[in-house]
């Protein structure tokens, strides 16, 4: 048998190492203020509040501040009314603008009141503040008027700094009544993970008659706003009405 001489300090170190190896279940212990996951453990959850969480805008230091707004990904809502009679019409607001309301004219009640002309009031979006942020609107251009009838003018505008996000009303062969849905745009989320969301929806007083059949409330998506007029018109009243919507996002 070959014998190896061990010094006292080496013997103690060997015994301590063997004892630590034999003990299990130490993952929850803390040494020198470091948990088991502190160094070499599991990475912090990507959705946690750990420093740097919140997206690429925060990588390498402080989170970038948003500098503006963008409109992307055009979609269309269903048309309400008779979409098979007349000519489809699309009028988009100028680049970067959204719909703030509508104006037009109603026909005489013979036999019912109908929407004879419609055009949209567009407006510009602006991002203000330095956190928290606010999205404001400034009235812009009118889209071309569609429809050729009507002698009773009307105007239907969203409250200040609100935008059109949907509509409801009544329709049959033509558009009888129109009510718009309006909402503010809110910037929510932690720095580096902020996004734009549609706020609480309200509706100003509608315009039109009580003919036709009520149709369901028709909305853009939770991050979308109306940016174009989509309707059916044929040398007379408006046959069908809808919206084109785009997603609002922050730019950096």
């Amino acid at each position: 048998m070959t014998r190896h001489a061990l010094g006292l300090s080496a013997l103690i170190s060997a015994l301590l190492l063997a004892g630590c190896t034999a003990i299990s279940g130490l993952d929850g212990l803390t040494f020198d203020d470091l948990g088991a996951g502190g160094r070499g453990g599991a990475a912090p959850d990507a959705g946690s509040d750990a420093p740097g969480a919140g997206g690429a805008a925060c990588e390498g230091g402080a989170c970038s501040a948003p500098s503006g707004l963008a409109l992307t990904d055009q979609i269309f809502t269903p048309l309400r009314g008779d979409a098979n009679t007349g000519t489809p019409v699309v009028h988009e607001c100028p680049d970067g603008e959204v719909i703030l309301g509508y104006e037009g004219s109603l026909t005489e009640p013979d036999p019912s009141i109908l929407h004879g002309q419609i055009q949209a009031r567009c407006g510009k979006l602006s991002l203000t503040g330095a956190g928290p942020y606010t999205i404001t609107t400034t009235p812009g251009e009118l889209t071309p008027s569609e429809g050729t009838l009507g002698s009773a003018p009307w105007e239907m505008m969203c409250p200040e700094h609100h935008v059109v996000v949907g509509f409801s009303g009544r329709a049959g062969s033509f558009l009888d009544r129109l009510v718009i849905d309006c909402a503010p745009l809110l910037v929510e989320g932690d720095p580096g993970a902020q996004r734009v969301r549609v706020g609480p929806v309200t509706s100003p007083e509608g315009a039109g008659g009580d003919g036709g059949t009520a149709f369901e409330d028709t909305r853009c998506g939770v991050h979308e706003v109306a940016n174009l007029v989509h309707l059916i018109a044929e040398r007379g009243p408006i046959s069908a009405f809808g919206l084109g919507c785009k997603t609002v996002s922050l730019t950096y």
Side-chain angles (χ1 to χ4, degrees):
M1 176 182 295
T2 303
R3 298 180 179 229
H4 297 281
L6 291 176
L8 180 59
S9 60
L11 179 61
I12 293 174
S13 297
L15 291 174
L16 287 174
L17 179 61
C20 290
T21 303
I23 298 175
S24 62
L26 296 181
D27 289 346
L29 295 181
T30 300
F31 301 95
D32 296 329
D33 297 324
L34 291 175
R39 292 180 182 171
D45 184 83
S48 73
D49 294 328
C58 293
E59 289 181 358
C63 297
S64 301
S67 58
L69 300 161
L71 298 175
T72 58
D73 303 327
Q74 186 74 66
I75 63 98
F76 293 85
T77 69
L79 287 165
R80 303 302 184 187
D82 185 358
N84 299 313
T85 302
T87 304
V89 174
V90 172
H91 291 306
E92 184 174 9
C93 288
D95 187 37
E97 295 191 11
V98 299
I99 298 177
L100 307 183
Y102 294 87
E103 59 184 64
S105 294
L106 299 173
T107 66
E108 298 296 330
D110 184 23
S112 62
I113 299 174
L114 302 171
H115 278 274
Q117 298 179 53
I118 287 181
Q119 60 188 143
R121 169 67 70 182
C122 301
K124 300 177 181 179
L125 296 175
S126 298
L127 182 70
T128 62
Y133 298 96
T134 301
I135 298 177
T136 60
T137 62
T138 304
E141 300 182 18
L142 281 166
T143 64
S145 178
E146 292 296 335
T148 60
L149 296 180
S151 58
W154 58 269
E155 183 180 73
M156 195 185 317
M157 295 297 298
C158 290
E160 186 177 20
H161 305 314
H162 287 53
V163 299
V164 174
V165 296
F167 67 99
S168 61
R170 303 180 66 87
S173 297
F174 302 101
L175 180 65
D176 293 84
R177 182 170 180 79
L178 176 65
V179 180
I180 59 174
D181 296 331
C182 302
L185 297 177
L186 309 176
V187 178
E188 296 185 338
D190 296 328
Q194 292 167 313
R195 66 184 309 176
V196 177
R197 180 179 70 82
V198 172
V201 175
T202 58
S203 296
E205 184 177 355
D210 58 2
T213 302
F215 55 80
E216 62 183 306
D217 201 12
T218 305
R219 298 270 184 91
C220 300
V222 295
H223 306 290
E224 298 168 350
V225 301
N227 74 301
L228 63 76
V229 176
H230 183 210
L231 50 79
I232 304 292
E234 182 67 25
R235 293 192 299 275
I238 305 301
S239 299
F241 182 89
L243 297 176
C245 308
K246 279 190 172 182
T247 300
V248 184
S249 58
L250 298 169
T251 59
Y252 291 86

